[in-house]
Amino acid sequence: MDLNPTDPAHSPPSSHEPGEPAMPEAEVQRFEAMRRELLAVIEHITHGVEGLLETAVEGLGVYRVTNPGGPKHSVQKPVFAVIAQGSKQLLIGDEVVEYDPMHYLVASVDMPVVGRVLIRSPDEPYLGLRLELDIREIGDLIGDEHLPQDIASDGASRGLYVNRLDCALLDAVLRLLRLHQNPRDIAILAPMVRREILYRLLMNGQGALLRQTVLQDSQMNRVAKAIRLMRDSYAQSLRVEDIARDVHMSVSSLHHHFKQVTAMSPLQYQKNLRLQEARRLILTADMSVALAAHTVGYESSSQFSREYSRLFGAPPLRDKRRWQEEETAIL
């Protein structure tokens, strides 16, 4: 699957795109000023860093990537993410999702993805941030009697989406990021700004999808529970009938809505989780291929190697050598 059909890193983001309402000129100027500040702040914080840097604000991390390399496999945790410079493409099943400095990304459930960072040159690195989403905080906010109730929507949809960034949300992001440089304010102000960001996410665009994740008895909430059950027991034999019973869905309904949310079937999802964890054990924990396969639930080493090669493009040992060569090149 080609993860670079348009190479948006080489097309500067516009403040207005087809199908999106144009901002008033004053709003455009305010947005651009805040976007420049976001770029400057992340540039300053990440100076000398390659990869992810955790900030002093819990759950808030910033990125600088000057050597993107090829597509990277990972399990995307529930996050809210914003790009200050560069762009990113994510492959979910067979669907490609792209976002850039004009858009933000929300993942409301654990999603196996293939990601690719795009930059113009090492002199213009990928700069961005991600804020971990706490489902309990979202639930508390949804329970607030003052939260408008006219955005709820039933029926599951993708657990990961991209939406247009606006001034109100970007302003809250900047205030949260500035707290990294004012540690004494974090304990009091960070929870307040996080709550504002969650409110903006719930009220913007596809915010109803995020709300469904925690609404009891919604299809999205049931699928989210199924994902948590599978994530916590991915090494065990999967019986879809048992998962469906535990989340109070029929087998056919679970299959249908699970694929809507994750772009894959429950069995494909479990296989992806197993292989991602096995790869982590082989590459970073220096575990043998046979032990890693057994640890994640495979009984057949040959089946493990076939499925590993199909997902990651090379058998385990060759993949490890390739990964080590890439790490050496970066250093």
Side-chain angles (χ1 to χ4, degrees):
M1 175 66 66
D2 183 5
L3 265 184
N4 189 19
T6 57
D7 197 359
H10 293 81
S11 301
S14 166
S15 61
H16 172 55
E17 299 179 4
E20 295 180 337
M23 290 184 185
E25 184 58 31
E27 195 81 347
V28 170
Q29 293 178 4
R30 180 178 173 225
F31 181 87
E32 288 302 317
M34 288 192 292
R35 200 159 67 85
R36 288 192 296 271
E37 181 183 354
L38 179 70
L39 178 61
V41 172
I42 297 180
E43 172 77 38
H44 174 72
I45 294 175
T46 62
H47 182 71
V49 171
E50 176 68 20
L52 173 66
L53 174 68
E54 298 290 351
T55 72
V57 179
E58 184 178 0
L60 178 65
V62 289
Y63 288 91
R64 173 190 289 261
V65 179
T66 56
N67 299 283
K72 301 291 193 298
H73 293 258
S74 64
V75 177
Q76 178 68 72
K77 302 296 183 182
V79 295
F80 158 62
V82 174
I83 294 174
Q85 183 168 270
S87 61
K88 192 168 186 179
Q89 297 173 330
L90 295 173
L91 180 65
I92 309 163
D94 294 326
E95 177 183 341
V96 177
V97 175
E98 304 178 4
Y99 70 115
D100 56 30
M102 297 300 298
H103 299 83
Y104 63 86
L105 174 137
V106 171
S108 60
V109 295
D110 288 4
M111 295 280 286
V113 300
V114 183
R116 181 176 183 181
V117 166
L118 299 170
I119 62 174
R120 291 175 180 272
S121 74
D123 295 330
E124 296 183 45
Y126 174 87
L127 299 172
L129 63 85
R130 63 105 178 93
L131 178 65
E132 296 174 5
L133 295 180
D134 188 325
I135 299 302
R136 291 170 299 180
E137 290 182 2
I138 298 173
D140 289 343
L141 182 55
I142 288 176
D144 192 308
E145 62 179 306
H146 300 294
L147 183 73
Q149 299 297 312
D150 57 354
I151 62 169
S153 174
D154 199 14
S157 190
R158 281 286 183 269
L160 183 151
Y161 64 87
V162 168
N163 197 41
R164 177 69 177 269
L165 187 61
D166 61 24
C167 288
L169 182 55
L170 183 53
D171 178 60
V173 168
L174 274 170
R175 282 185 276 115
L176 187 67
L177 191 58
R178 292 186 199 117
L179 291 178
H180 173 74
Q181 299 166 310
N182 298 280
R184 72 173 187 175
D185 296 337
I186 291 175
I188 299 298
L189 297 183
M192 298 167 62
V193 183
R194 283 180 62 98
R195 185 175 174 86
E196 179 183 346
I197 289 173
L198 291 178
Y199 171 77
R200 302 289 179 194
L201 295 180
L202 288 171
M203 298 303 296
N204 287 353
Q206 302 177 70
L209 303 181
L210 185 60
R211 179 183 289 212
Q212 288 174 33
T213 306
V214 296
L215 278 179
Q216 293 296 322
D217 296 327
S218 72
Q219 300 292 6
M220 179 73 92
N221 178 255
R222 291 190 176 105
V223 171
K225 288 178 180 177
I227 287 173
R228 287 194 292 272
L229 288 171
M230 295 172 64
R231 182 192 61 199
D232 294 341
S233 57
Y234 64 88
Q236 301 174 14
S237 296
L238 174 65
R239 282 179 49 84
V240 178
E241 295 84 355
D242 294 339
I243 298 290
R245 184 193 64 244
D246 289 343
V247 299
H248 307 294
M249 298 178 77
S250 68
V251 171
S252 61
S253 180
L254 175 61
H255 269 286
H256 173 71
H257 292 291
F258 196 96
K259 193 158 188 175
Q260 274 193 319
V261 173
T262 67
M264 59 189 74
S265 71
L267 287 173
Q268 290 171 325
Y269 186 93
Q270 183 200 42
K271 182 188 299 184
N272 205 305
L273 287 182
R274 285 180 166 184
L275 293 170
Q276 296 268 19
E277 175 60 13
R279 190 175 196 238
R280 185 192 69 81
L281 294 172
I282 293 169
L283 299 187
T284 65
D286 202 27
M287 185 177 287
S288 72
V289 174
L291 182 55
H294 177 75
T295 300
V296 301
Y298 277 86
E299 297 180 359
S300 168
S301 295
S302 59
Q303 180 187 0
F304 170 74
S305 293
R306 285 195 305 272
E307 295 183 353
Y308 188 105
S309 298
R310 193 175 300 123
L311 182 61
F312 300 120
L317 292 180
R318 191 192 308 165
D319 183 44
K320 183 172 184 176
R321 287 195 296 271
R322 182 177 60 186
W323 177 78
Q324 290 172 332
E325 289 169 358
E326 290 180 357
E327 290 296 298
T328 301
I330 291 175
L331 296 175

